Amino acid sequence: MSVQGNRELIRSIVERIRNHPLGAISFREFMELCLYDEHHGYYRSDRLKIGKGGDFYTSASVGTVMGGILASYIASQWPRLKAATGGLSLVEFGGGSGRLAAQVMDALQERFDTVYKSASLTMVETSPFHRALQCESLAGHASKVEWMSEEEWLACGKSEGSLVFANELLDAFPVHVLEGGEGGVPLEVYVEWDEEESRFAERLLPLTDTAVAQALAEDGVILERGQRVEISLDAPAWVQRVASRLQLGTMLLIDYGDTASRLYASHRARGTLLAYRRHEATERWYDDIGEQDLTAHVNFTACERAARRGGAGSVELLPQREFLMRCGVLELLQNTYDPNPFSPAAKRNRAVRQLLLDDGFGELFKVMIVCK
């Protein structure tokens, strides 16, 4: 095989393709296998994914500012949420190394002791590798932390006094990839195996998935010929599931993406799908199978619809920069003449500026707040 990546995973995907009646699988199925195959998927592997030694950074990688800001927001929500139970249930989905959750708990303990004493933390995580990293990061708060799968958490029934947060989770759900055909008729991208070249290749087939067609219609998407877009059914479905589970609570979802009208505008001719490996973003998503991240921007319009279907009373979408400002991030800046660029104050000032001034973090990233 000339394609690079995890050999066992490549063989498994090729076998899936060969056994399919079409001799091809949808890109969504291909992406799900690359990321979540139980034995060899990218997110199931024992490799670092976030930070300098990984493939990408998140806002939690930029100092401890984001964790401190989330702690401030949590404290502001505490009077509303704790009234029902006297306690506060924090829940993080897809917590990776546990760095963000640890930052949140550290800041609550340091600055909002009453809230901290009332709080418990559930990490919803199925990867044994990530659970181990989270356990290490959260060792200082071990008595307050438990781990569950999503199925276990959903099975607990309606929840009062919960604040659910997820940082860069929605962009990791697999997506359908569509391309406008003759007259803008939507075609779906399928993945086949080129026996002669020993590589994966694309095939365009008529769109037959009624759920995808309905999502297009709800967003009013009319494709130009050759225009590509990504449609995620899994991310909105997850939002609806979690919102439905809450009785009195808040969801705080942080990710890069936009509204449907902006995300599917005709000038985005090639969509937003990217592969990330060793901090390089490429469109080579058929390389390094199982060893690189695959991601697409989040359609927050679809996620808002899903939240309301799950019973949300209010949904607000903010640029991350505005959310940070609203939560008092400027108060973290310090006037300092310390010549040491590695002093705590200097590091925090740099982190604040990066989160506010870097267009990638400040504008591309959004914060969706769902209240119920």
Side-chain angles (χ1 to χ4, degrees):
M1 298 181 185
S2 59
V3 64
Q4 299 299 306
N6 183 289
R7 314 310 279 175
E8 293 300 318
L9 180 56
I10 294 170
R11 290 188 184 94
S12 177
I13 296 173
V14 171
E15 191 67 19
R16 184 80 66 97
I17 290 171
R18 287 171 175 162
N19 290 334
H20 197 284
L22 296 173
I25 59 175
S26 69
F27 185 87
R28 185 217 165 273
E29 185 174 352
F30 171 81
M31 181 173 175
E32 182 175 44
L33 290 169
C34 288
L35 297 181
Y36 298 107
D37 176 83
E38 193 61 35
H39 302 290
H40 307 293
Y42 176 78
Y43 281 111
R44 298 289 186 253
S45 66
D46 294 355
R47 57 176 286 159
L48 289 177
K49 301 163 187 73
I50 304 172
K52 185 176 181 180
D55 298 308
F56 54 88
Y57 290 105
T58 70
S59 54
S61 307
V62 185
T64 61
V65 171
M66 182 55 74
I69 288 296
L70 291 186
S72 296
Y73 180 80
I74 290 165
S76 74
Q77 292 290 298
W78 184 65
R80 180 179 80 89
L81 297 179
K82 64 96 177 179
T85 61
L88 178 62
S89 173
L90 303 178
V91 184
E92 185 180 16
F93 280 78
S97 67
R99 180 183 174 94
L100 181 61
Q103 292 175 8
V104 169
M105 296 300 281
D106 287 346
L108 286 175
Q109 187 176 35
E110 180 181 342
R111 296 162 48 209
F112 307 102
D113 186 60
T114 301
V115 179
Y116 177 78
K117 287 177 179 176
S118 75
S120 63
L121 173 63
T122 299
M123 301 294 288
V124 181
E125 179 63 65
T126 57
S127 164
F129 176 67
H130 290 129
R131 281 195 179 194
L133 293 179
Q134 292 165 12
C135 187
E136 183 177 347
S137 295
L138 290 159
H141 310 282
S143 64
K144 289 183 168 290
V145 187
E146 65 176 340
W147 279 263
M148 291 186 183
S149 66
E150 180 180 328
E151 292 74 18
E152 290 169 335
W153 184 76
L154 291 172
C156 291
K158 291 289 187 179
S159 171
E160 289 191 354
S162 293
L163 192 145
V164 176
F165 61 102
N167 183 42
E168 294 193 49
L169 172 70
L170 299 179
D171 67 86
F173 283 103
V175 296
H176 294 264
V177 178
L178 307 183
E179 182 173 313
E182 190 70 35
V185 174
L187 304 172
E188 183 161 9
V189 174
Y190 277 70
V191 180
E192 61 185 8
W193 179 249
D194 186 324
E195 297 285 358
E196 291 186 4
E197 299 290 335
S198 294
R199 63 180 179 85
F200 294 107
E202 292 184 351
R203 186 197 306 177
L204 293 176
L205 294 173
L207 175 62
T208 58
D209 191 313
T210 56
V212 176
Q214 181 181 343
L216 280 177
E218 286 183 317
D219 286 327
V221 180
I222 300 176
L223 294 174
E224 302 283 345
R225 184 175 182 181
Q227 180 187 2
R228 284 204 170 189
V229 299
E230 301 88 24
I231 302 294
S232 173
L233 301 181
D234 295 83
W238 178 85
V239 171
Q240 184 172 342
R241 283 197 305 274
V242 175
S244 298
R245 162 75 158 72
L246 300 178
Q247 185 165 319
L248 171 67
T250 297
M251 294 173 63
L252 197 67
L253 308 177
I254 306 168
D255 224 312
Y256 44 88
D258 219 322
T259 59
S261 61
R262 291 178 177 271
L263 199 60
Y264 302 135
S266 58
H267 70 272
R268 289 185 181 271
R270 301 304 298 170
T272 65
L273 184 68
L274 288 173
Y276 281 89
R277 181 168 168 79
R278 295 171 184 165
H279 303 287
E280 180 185 5
T282 75
E283 294 184 355
R284 300 191 297 271
W285 37 81
Y286 300 114
D287 294 347
D288 300 314
I289 304 300
E291 296 177 354
Q292 62 180 0
D293 191 21
L294 299 175
T295 178
H297 289 199
V298 176
N299 176 357
F300 282 107
T301 302
C303 289
E304 178 177 349
R305 281 197 304 269
R308 294 193 183 281
R309 287 169 181 162
S314 67
V315 182
E316 186 176 16
L317 183 66
L318 302 169
Q320 181 172 284
R321 177 182 292 133
E322 184 176 338
F323 174 77
L324 293 170
M325 297 281 284
R326 183 183 293 186
C327 292
V329 71
L330 293 182
E331 296 173 10
L332 298 178
L333 285 173
Q334 295 183 9
N335 289 323
T336 176
Y337 298 100
D338 190 338
N340 179 10
F342 301 105
S343 69
K347 287 182 177 180
R348 185 162 62 177
N349 284 352
R350 282 198 301 275
V352 170
R353 292 189 182 99
Q354 185 173 350
L355 290 173
L356 288 176
L357 301 179
D358 185 318
D359 285 340
F361 283 121
E363 288 297 327
L364 177 60
F365 275 74
K366 307 294 190 298
V367 179
M368 191 168 88
I369 304 171
V370 178
C371 294
K372 190 176 181 183

